[in-house]
Amino acid sequence: MPTLPRLAVAVVASATLTVLLAAQPAAAALQPSTQPVLQTAVHRAAPAAARLSPAQARAILIRAARHHNLNPNFVLDNAELGAALLRSYLTQLRDPKLALAAYYQGLTGVRRYGIYPSSRPYVDGIWRLRNRFQATHLGA
């Protein structure tokens, strides 16, 4: 796959997964955090970061489309489908990394063999993008 379409897919997948995980705190809670829980002096957990609004998510996708010289409508139509697929895979597999692998290599392959070695760089790369996006846009 040429670099530009793969990068566009990566950006869209990262953004849609992040939006999905931000909207579904229970799904995000399935993954153990490597960050310590910040606590106030009375030992209460710090408030959660503000969620991305639909308008903010749309603006981010439009900026990404323009940055990569793509029609924003193309990216937004693909983000909608990507979000629906990722939600379906996450519901079935209950693991965000497996959901990403299914998005990339297909659900049947993940169910039969797990994450292919050839898919690992994609999954790990999207996960790193997700973490960067989340830190930048969600303050986590």
Side-chain angles (χ1 to χ4, degrees), residues 36-113:
V37 176
L38 299 176
Q39 296 187 346
T40 62
V42 292
H43 301 288
R44 280 188 251 153
R51 289 201 175 114
L52 209 57
S53 73
Q56 290 170 317
R58 181 179 171 84
I60 290 167
L61 291 172
I62 290 171
R63 272 196 311 268
R66 290 184 177 144
H67 177 77
H68 295 286
N69 199 26
L70 292 167
N71 182 329
N73 291 324
F74 179 69
V75 172
L76 292 169
D77 294 344
N78 279 292
E80 182 68 30
L81 177 59
L85 283 171
L86 284 169
R87 167 48 49 212
S88 173
Y89 296 154
L90 190 57
T91 299
Q92 293 175 59
L93 299 168
R94 301 182 192 282
D95 181 313
K97 288 190 176 183
L98 289 178
L100 282 173
Y103 187 83
Y104 186 70
Q105 74 187 43
L107 183 59
T108 302
V110 170
R111 284 193 167 145
R112 286 186 184 160
Y113 308 107

